[in-house]
Coordinates of all heavy atoms in Angstrom, one line a residue:
M1 N 0.8 -1.2 0.0 CA 0.0 0.0 0.0 C 0.9 1.2 0.0 O 1.8 1.4 0.8 CB -0.9 0.0 1.2 CG -1.8 1.2 1.4 SD -3.1 1.0 2.6 CE -2.3 0.6 4.1
P2 N 0.6 2.2 -0.9 CA 1.5 3.4 -1.0 C 1.3 4.3 0.3 O 0.2 4.3 0.9 CB 1.0 4.1 -2.2 CG -0.2 3.4 -2.7 CD -0.4 2.1 -1.9
I3 N 2.3 5.1 0.5 CA 2.2 6.0 1.7 C 1.3 7.2 1.2 O 1.2 7.5 0.1 CB 3.6 6.5 2.1 CG1 3.6 7.1 3.4 CG2 4.3 7.3 1.0 CD1 5.0 7.3 4.0
T4 N 0.6 7.8 2.2 CA -0.3 8.9 1.9 C 0.2 10.1 2.6 O 1.1 10.1 3.5 CB -1.7 8.6 2.4 OG1 -1.7 8.5 3.9 CG2 -2.3 7.3 1.8
A5 N -0.3 11.3 2.2 CA 0.0 12.5 2.8 C -0.4 12.5 4.3 O 0.4 13.0 5.2 CB -0.8 13.7 2.2
R6 N -1.4 11.8 4.7 CA -1.8 11.7 6.1 C -0.8 10.8 6.8 O -0.5 11.2 8.0 CB -3.2 11.0 6.2 CG -3.7 10.7 7.6 CD -3.9 11.9 8.5 NE -5.0 12.6 8.0 CZ -5.4 13.8 8.6 NH1 -4.7 14.3 9.6 NH2 -6.4 14.5 8.1
D7 N -0.3 9.8 6.2 CA 0.7 9.0 6.9 C 2.0 9.8 7.2 O 2.5 9.7 8.3 CB 1.2 7.8 6.0 CG 0.1 6.8 5.7 OD1 -0.8 6.6 6.6 OD2 0.1 6.1 4.7
I8 N 2.4 10.6 6.2 CA 3.6 11.5 6.4 C 3.3 12.5 7.5 O 4.1 12.7 8.4 CB 3.9 12.2 5.1 CG1 4.4 11.1 4.1 CG2 5.0 13.2 5.3 CD1 4.4 11.7 2.7
E9 N 2.1 13.1 7.5 CA 1.8 14.1 8.6 C 1.8 13.4 9.9 O 2.4 13.9 10.9 CB 0.4 14.7 8.3 CG 0.1 15.7 9.4 CD -1.3 16.3 9.2 OE1 -1.8 16.3 8.1 OE2 -1.8 16.9 10.2
N10 N 1.3 12.2 10.0 CA 1.2 11.5 11.3 C 2.6 11.2 11.8 O 2.9 11.3 13.0 CB 0.4 10.2 11.2 CG -1.1 10.5 11.1 OD1 -1.6 11.6 11.4 ND2 -1.8 9.6 10.5
L11 N 3.5 10.7 10.9 CA 4.9 10.4 11.3 C 5.6 11.7 11.8 O 6.3 11.7 12.9 CB 5.7 9.9 10.2 CG 5.4 8.4 9.8 CD1 6.0 8.1 8.4 CD2 5.9 7.5 10.8
I12 N 5.4 12.8 11.1 CA 6.1 14.0 11.6 C 5.5 14.5 12.9 O 6.2 15.0 13.8 CB 5.9 15.1 10.5 CG1 6.7 14.7 9.2 CG2 6.4 16.5 10.9 CD1 6.5 15.5 8.0
R13 N 4.2 14.4 13.0 CA 3.5 14.9 14.2 C 4.0 14.1 15.5 O 4.0 14.7 16.6 CB 2.0 14.8 14.1 CG 1.3 15.3 15.3 CD 0.1 16.2 15.1 NE -0.2 16.9 13.9 CZ 0.2 18.2 13.6 NH1 0.9 18.8 14.5 NH2 -0.1 18.7 12.5
E14 N 4.4 12.9 15.3 CA 4.9 12.1 16.5 C 6.1 12.8 17.1 O 6.2 12.8 18.3 CB 5.3 10.7 16.1 CG 4.1 9.8 15.8 CD 4.5 8.4 15.4 OE1 5.6 8.0 15.7 OE2 3.7 7.7 14.7
S15 N 6.9 13.4 16.3 CA 8.1 14.1 16.7 C 7.9 15.6 17.0 O 8.6 16.2 17.8 CB 9.3 13.9 15.7 OG 9.7 12.6 15.6
F16 N 6.9 16.1 16.3 CA 6.6 17.6 16.5 C 5.1 17.8 16.7 O 4.4 18.2 15.9 CB 7.1 18.3 15.2 CG 8.5 18.1 14.8 CD1 8.9 17.1 13.9 CD2 9.5 18.9 15.4 CE1 10.2 16.9 13.6 CE2 10.8 18.7 15.1 CZ 11.2 17.7 14.2
P17 N 4.7 17.4 17.9 CA 3.2 17.5 18.2 C 2.6 18.8 18.1 O 1.4 18.9 17.9 CB 3.1 16.9 19.6 CG 4.5 17.0 20.2 CD 5.5 17.0 19.1
E18 N 3.4 19.9 18.3 CA 2.8 21.2 18.3 C 3.0 22.0 17.0 O 2.6 23.1 16.8 CB 3.4 22.1 19.4 CG 3.2 21.5 20.8 CD 1.7 21.3 21.2 OE1 0.9 22.3 20.9 OE2 1.4 20.3 21.8
A19 N 3.6 21.3 16.0 CA 3.9 21.9 14.8 C 2.7 22.2 13.9 O 1.7 21.5 14.0 CB 4.9 21.1 14.0
K20 N 2.8 23.2 13.0 CA 1.9 23.4 11.9 C 2.5 22.6 10.8 O 3.6 22.9 10.3 CB 1.8 24.9 11.6 CG 0.8 25.1 10.4 CD 0.7 26.5 10.0 CE -0.2 26.6 8.8 NZ 0.2 27.7 7.9
I21 N 1.7 21.6 10.3 CA 2.2 20.7 9.3 C 1.2 20.7 8.1 O 0.0 20.4 8.3 CB 2.4 19.3 9.9 CG1 3.3 19.3 11.0 CG2 2.9 18.3 8.8 CD1 3.3 17.9 11.8
T22 N 1.8 20.9 6.9 CA 1.0 20.8 5.7 C 1.7 19.8 4.8 O 2.9 20.0 4.5 CB 0.8 22.2 5.0 OG1 0.3 23.1 6.0 CG2 -0.1 22.1 3.8
V23 N 1.0 18.8 4.3 CA 1.6 17.8 3.4 C 0.7 17.8 2.2 O -0.5 17.6 2.3 CB 1.7 16.4 4.0 CG1 2.4 15.5 3.0 CG2 2.6 16.5 5.3
Q24 N 1.3 17.9 1.0 CA 0.5 17.8 -0.2 C 1.1 16.7 -1.1 O 2.3 16.5 -1.1 CB 0.5 19.1 -1.0 CG -0.1 20.3 -0.2 CD 0.0 21.6 -0.9 OE1 1.0 21.8 -1.6 NE2 -1.0 22.4 -0.7
G25 N 0.3 16.1 -2.0 CA 0.7 15.1 -2.9 C -0.2 14.0 -2.9 O -0.7 13.6 -1.8
D26 N -0.5 13.4 -4.0 CA -1.5 12.3 -4.0 C -1.1 11.1 -5.0 O -1.9 10.3 -5.3 CB -2.9 12.8 -4.4 CG -2.9 13.5 -5.8 OD1 -1.9 13.4 -6.5 OD2 -3.9 14.0 -6.2
D27 N 0.2 11.1 -5.4 CA 0.5 10.0 -6.3 C 1.2 8.8 -5.5 O 1.6 7.8 -6.1 CB 1.5 10.5 -7.4 CG 2.9 10.8 -7.0 OD1 3.1 10.8 -5.7 OD2 3.7 11.1 -7.8
G28 N 1.3 8.9 -4.2 CA 1.9 7.9 -3.4 C 3.4 7.8 -3.3 O 4.0 7.0 -2.7
Q29 N 4.1 8.7 -4.1 CA 5.5 8.8 -4.1 C 6.1 10.1 -3.9 O 7.2 10.3 -3.4 CB 6.1 8.1 -5.3 CG 5.8 6.6 -5.4 CD 6.6 6.0 -6.6 OE1 6.9 6.7 -7.6 NE2 6.8 4.8 -6.5
H30 N 5.5 11.2 -4.4 CA 6.1 12.5 -4.5 C 5.2 13.4 -3.7 O 4.0 13.6 -3.9 CB 6.1 13.0 -5.9 CG 7.0 12.1 -6.8 ND1 6.4 11.1 -7.5 CD2 8.3 12.2 -7.1 CE1 7.4 10.5 -8.1 NE2 8.5 11.1 -7.9
F31 N 5.8 14.1 -2.7 CA 5.1 14.9 -1.8 C 5.8 16.2 -1.5 O 7.0 16.3 -1.7 CB 4.8 14.2 -0.4 CG 4.0 13.0 -0.5 CD1 4.6 11.8 -0.8 CD2 2.6 13.1 -0.4 CE1 3.8 10.6 -0.9 CE2 1.8 11.9 -0.5 CZ 2.4 10.7 -0.8
A32 N 5.1 17.2 -1.0 CA 5.7 18.5 -0.5 C 5.1 18.7 0.9 O 4.0 18.5 1.2 CB 5.3 19.6 -1.4
A33 N 6.0 19.1 1.8 CA 5.6 19.3 3.2 C 6.2 20.6 3.7 O 7.3 21.0 3.4 CB 6.1 18.2 4.1
E34 N 5.4 21.3 4.5 CA 5.8 22.5 5.3 C 5.7 22.2 6.7 O 4.6 21.7 7.2 CB 5.1 23.7 4.9 CG 5.5 24.9 5.6 CD 4.7 26.2 5.3 OE1 3.5 26.2 5.4 OE2 5.4 27.1 4.8
V35 N 6.7 22.4 7.5 CA 6.7 22.1 8.9 C 7.2 23.3 9.6 O 8.3 23.8 9.4 CB 7.6 20.9 9.3 CG1 7.4 20.6 10.8 CG2 7.2 19.7 8.5
I36 N 6.3 23.9 10.5 CA 6.7 25.1 11.2 C 6.6 24.8 12.7 O 5.5 24.3 13.2 CB 5.7 26.3 10.9 CG1 5.8 26.6 9.4 CG2 6.0 27.5 11.7 CD1 4.7 27.5 8.9
D37 N 7.7 24.9 13.4 CA 7.7 24.5 14.8 C 8.6 25.3 15.7 O 9.7 25.7 15.2 CB 8.1 23.0 14.9 CG 7.8 22.4 16.3 OD1 6.6 22.2 16.7 OD2 8.8 22.1 17.0
A38 N 8.3 25.6 16.9 CA 9.1 26.4 17.8 C 10.4 25.7 18.1 O 11.4 26.4 18.4 CB 8.3 26.7 19.1
S39 N 10.5 24.4 18.1 CA 11.7 23.7 18.4 C 12.8 23.9 17.3 O 14.0 23.7 17.6 CB 11.5 22.2 18.5 OG 11.2 21.6 17.2
F40 N 12.5 24.5 16.2 CA 13.5 24.8 15.2 C 14.3 26.1 15.5 O 15.2 26.4 14.8 CB 12.8 25.0 13.8 CG 12.2 23.7 13.3 CD1 11.1 23.7 12.4 CD2 12.8 22.5 13.6 CE1 10.6 22.6 11.9 CE2 12.3 21.3 13.1 CZ 11.2 21.3 12.2
K41 N 13.8 26.9 16.5 CA 14.5 28.1 16.8 C 15.9 27.9 17.1 O 16.3 27.0 17.9 CB 13.8 28.8 18.0 CG 14.3 30.2 18.3 CD 13.5 30.9 19.3 CE 14.1 32.3 19.5 NZ 13.3 33.1 20.4
G42 N 16.8 28.6 16.5 CA 18.3 28.5 16.7 C 18.9 27.4 15.8 O 20.1 27.3 15.8
M43 N 18.1 26.7 15.1 CA 18.7 25.7 14.1 C 18.7 26.3 12.7 O 17.9 27.1 12.4 CB 17.7 24.5 14.0 CG 17.6 23.7 15.3 SD 16.3 22.4 14.9 CE 17.1 21.0 15.6
N44 N 19.8 25.9 12.0 CA 19.8 26.3 10.6 C 18.8 25.4 9.8 O 18.3 24.4 10.3 CB 21.2 26.4 10.0 CG 21.9 25.0 10.0 OD1 21.2 24.0 9.6 ND2 23.1 25.0 10.3
R45 N 18.6 25.7 8.5 CA 17.7 24.9 7.7 C 18.1 23.5 7.6 O 17.2 22.6 7.6 CB 17.5 25.6 6.4 CG 16.1 26.0 6.2 CD 15.9 26.8 4.9 NE 15.6 28.2 5.3 CZ 14.4 28.7 5.2 NH1 13.5 28.0 4.6 NH2 14.2 29.9 5.6
V46 N 19.3 23.2 7.4 CA 19.8 21.8 7.3 C 19.5 21.0 8.6 O 19.0 19.9 8.5 CB 21.3 21.8 7.0 CG1 21.8 20.3 7.0 CG2 21.6 22.4 5.6
Q47 N 19.7 21.6 9.7 CA 19.4 21.0 11.0 C 17.9 20.7 11.1 O 17.5 19.7 11.6 CB 19.9 21.8 12.2 CG 21.4 21.9 12.2 CD 21.9 22.9 13.2 OE1 21.3 24.0 13.3 NE2 23.0 22.6 13.9
Q48 N 17.1 21.7 10.7 CA 15.6 21.6 10.8 C 15.2 20.4 9.9 O 14.4 19.6 10.3 CB 15.0 22.9 10.3 CG 15.2 24.0 11.2 CD 14.7 25.3 10.6 OE1 13.9 25.3 9.7 NE2 15.1 26.4 11.2
Q49 N 15.7 20.4 8.7 CA 15.3 19.3 7.8 C 15.8 18.0 8.2 O 15.0 17.0 8.0 CB 15.7 19.7 6.3 CG 14.9 20.9 5.8 CD 15.2 21.3 4.4 OE1 15.9 20.6 3.7 NE2 14.5 22.3 3.9
R50 N 16.9 17.9 8.7 CA 17.4 16.6 9.2 C 16.5 16.1 10.3 O 16.2 14.9 10.4 CB 18.8 16.7 9.7 CG 19.9 16.7 8.6 CD 21.3 16.8 9.2 NE 22.2 16.9 8.1 CZ 23.5 17.3 8.2 NH1 23.9 17.7 9.4 NH2 24.3 17.3 7.2
A51 N 16.0 17.0 11.2 CA 15.1 16.6 12.3 C 13.8 16.0 11.7 O 13.3 15.0 12.2 CB 14.9 17.7 13.2
V52 N 13.3 16.6 10.7 CA 12.1 16.1 10.1 C 12.3 14.8 9.3 O 11.5 13.9 9.5 CB 11.5 17.2 9.1 CG1 10.3 16.6 8.3 CG2 11.1 18.5 9.8
Y53 N 13.4 14.7 8.6 CA 13.7 13.4 7.9 C 13.9 12.3 9.0 O 13.4 11.2 8.7 CB 14.9 13.5 7.1 CG 14.7 14.3 5.8 CD1 15.4 15.4 5.4 CD2 13.7 13.9 4.9 CE1 15.2 16.0 4.2 CE2 13.4 14.5 3.7 CZ 14.2 15.6 3.4 OH 13.9 16.3 2.2
A54 N 14.5 12.6 10.1 CA 14.6 11.6 11.2 C 13.2 11.1 11.7 O 13.0 10.0 12.0 CB 15.4 12.1 12.3
A55 N 12.3 12.1 11.7 CA 10.9 11.7 12.1 C 10.2 10.8 11.2 O 9.3 10.1 11.5 CB 10.1 13.0 12.3
L56 N 10.7 10.7 9.9 CA 10.1 9.8 8.9 C 10.5 8.3 9.1 O 10.0 7.5 8.4 CB 10.4 10.3 7.5 CG 9.8 11.6 7.2 CD1 10.3 12.1 5.8 CD2 8.3 11.6 7.2
K57 N 11.3 8.1 10.0 CA 11.7 6.7 10.5 C 12.1 5.8 9.3 O 11.6 4.7 9.2 CB 10.6 6.1 11.3 CG 10.3 6.9 12.5 CD 9.1 6.4 13.3 CE 8.9 7.2 14.5 NZ 7.7 6.8 15.3
G58 N 12.9 6.3 8.4 CA 13.4 5.4 7.4 C 12.5 5.2 6.2 O 12.8 4.4 5.3
K59 N 11.4 5.9 6.1 CA 10.5 5.8 5.0 C 11.1 6.3 3.6 O 10.6 5.9 2.6 CB 9.2 6.5 5.2 CG 8.4 6.1 6.4 CD 7.9 4.7 6.2 CE 7.0 4.3 7.4 NZ 6.7 2.9 7.4
M60 N 12.2 7.0 3.7 CA 12.9 7.5 2.5 C 14.2 6.8 2.3 O 14.9 7.2 1.3 CB 13.1 9.0 2.6 CG 11.9 9.8 2.5 SD 12.2 11.6 2.3 CE 12.7 11.7 0.6
D61 N 14.5 5.8 3.0 CA 15.8 5.1 3.0 C 15.9 4.2 1.7 O 15.1 3.3 1.5 CB 16.1 4.3 4.2 CG 16.3 5.2 5.4 OD1 16.5 6.4 5.3 OD2 16.4 4.6 6.5
G62 N 17.0 4.5 0.9 CA 17.3 3.6 -0.1 C 16.3 3.6 -1.3 O 15.3 4.3 -1.3
A63 N 16.6 2.8 -2.3 CA 15.8 2.7 -3.5 C 14.4 2.1 -3.2 O 13.5 2.3 -4.0 CB 16.5 1.8 -4.5
H64 N 14.3 1.3 -2.1 CA 13.0 0.7 -1.9 C 12.2 1.4 -0.8 O 11.2 0.8 -0.2 CB 13.3 -0.8 -1.5 CG 14.0 -1.5 -2.6 ND1 13.4 -1.8 -3.8 CD2 15.2 -2.0 -2.7 CE1 14.2 -2.5 -4.6 NE2 15.4 -2.5 -3.9
G65 N 12.6 2.6 -0.4 CA 11.8 3.3 0.6 C 10.4 3.6 0.1 O 10.1 3.7 -1.1
E66 N 9.4 3.7 1.0 CA 8.0 3.9 0.6 C 7.8 5.3 0.1 O 6.9 5.6 -0.7 CB 7.1 3.8 1.9 CG 7.1 2.4 2.4 CD 6.3 2.3 3.7 OE1 5.1 2.7 3.6 OE2 6.8 1.9 4.7
L67 N 8.6 6.3 0.5 CA 8.5 7.7 0.1 C 9.7 8.0 -0.8 O 10.8 8.0 -0.4 CB 8.5 8.6 1.3 CG 8.4 10.1 1.1 CD1 7.2 10.4 0.3 CD2 8.4 10.7 2.5
H68 N 9.3 8.3 -2.1 CA 10.4 8.5 -3.1 C 10.9 9.9 -3.0 O 12.1 10.1 -3.1 CB 9.8 8.2 -4.5 CG 10.8 8.5 -5.6 ND1 11.9 7.8 -5.8 CD2 10.8 9.5 -6.5 CE1 12.6 8.3 -6.8 NE2 11.9 9.3 -7.3
A69 N 10.1 10.9 -2.9 CA 10.5 12.3 -2.9 C 9.7 13.2 -2.0 O 8.4 13.1 -2.0 CB 10.4 12.9 -4.4
L70 N 10.3 14.0 -1.3 CA 9.7 15.0 -0.4 C 10.3 16.3 -0.5 O 11.5 16.5 -0.1 CB 9.7 14.5 1.1 CG 9.1 15.4 2.1 CD1 7.6 15.5 1.9 CD2 9.4 14.9 3.5
A71 N 9.6 17.3 -1.1 CA 10.1 18.7 -1.1 C 9.7 19.3 0.3 O 8.6 19.3 0.7 CB 9.4 19.5 -2.2
L72 N 10.7 19.7 1.0 CA 10.5 20.0 2.4 C 10.9 21.5 2.7 O 11.9 21.9 2.3 CB 11.4 19.1 3.3 CG 11.3 19.2 4.8 CD1 9.8 19.0 5.3 CD2 12.2 18.2 5.5
T73 N 9.9 22.2 3.3 CA 10.1 23.5 3.8 C 10.0 23.5 5.3 O 9.0 23.0 5.8 CB 9.1 24.5 3.1 OG1 9.2 24.4 1.7 CG2 9.3 25.9 3.6
T74 N 10.9 24.1 6.0 CA 10.8 24.2 7.5 C 11.2 25.6 7.9 O 11.9 26.3 7.3 CB 11.9 23.2 8.1 OG1 13.2 23.6 7.7 CG2 11.6 21.8 7.8
K75 N 10.6 25.9 9.1 CA 11.0 27.2 9.7 C 10.5 27.2 11.2 O 9.6 26.4 11.5 CB 10.5 28.4 8.9 CG 9.0 28.6 8.9 CD 8.6 29.9 8.1 CE 7.2 30.2 8.3 NZ 6.9 31.5 7.6
A76 N 11.1 28.0 12.0 CA 10.7 28.2 13.4 C 9.5 29.0 13.4 O 9.3 30.0 12.7 CB 11.8 28.8 14.2
S77 N 8.6 28.6 14.3 CA 7.4 29.5 14.5 C 7.8 30.7 15.4 O 8.8 30.7 16.1 CB 6.3 28.7 15.2 OG 6.8 28.1 16.5
E78 N 7.0 31.7 15.2 CA 7.3 33.0 15.9 C 6.6 33.1 17.2 O 5.7 32.5 17.6 CB 6.9 34.1 15.0 CG 7.8 34.0 13.7 CD 7.5 35.2 12.8 OE1 6.9 36.2 13.2 OE2 7.9 35.1 11.6

């Protein structure tokens, strides 16, 4: 069964429960996500994005990962 935008949001929400999360995409492989969270304060963009990728728990790992592509935008909430 392909991964859904809701699945991705739920995975991210486990690590960032207070975040504003928007996930778009409906082909089961290519998605775009925006994650805005206070915990990103003081982190650069690479650190923020690594934290979100870690929350995906290996879903993007290797050629056989469930999630093929994720365009990710992150920022600290104000």
Side-chain angles (χ1 to χ4, degrees):
M1 178 167 54
I3 195 164
T4 66
R6 174 64 69 184
D7 295 334
I8 295 167
E9 180 180 345
N10 289 340
L11 286 167
I12 295 170
R13 184 137 336 265
E14 286 178 26
S15 294
F16 302 97
E18 302 300 318
K20 179 183 176 211
I21 302 168
T22 306
V23 181
Q24 298 176 329
D26 61 6
D27 71 354
Q29 291 187 337
H30 302 88
F31 296 89
E34 178 180 60
V35 183
I36 302 170
D37 192 70
S39 71
F40 294 150
K41 188 173 183 175
M43 297 174 133
N44 64 40
R45 245 173 246 253
V46 171
Q47 292 168 322
Q48 294 171 15
Q49 292 187 359
R50 283 182 180 161
V52 174
Y53 285 125
L56 295 174
K57 301 180 181 173
K59 299 294 184 189
M60 289 190 74
D61 290 352
H64 301 290
E66 294 176 58
L67 178 56
H68 177 69
L70 178 65
L72 184 57
T73 302
T74 58
K75 68 179 188 176
S77 57
E78 299 181 16

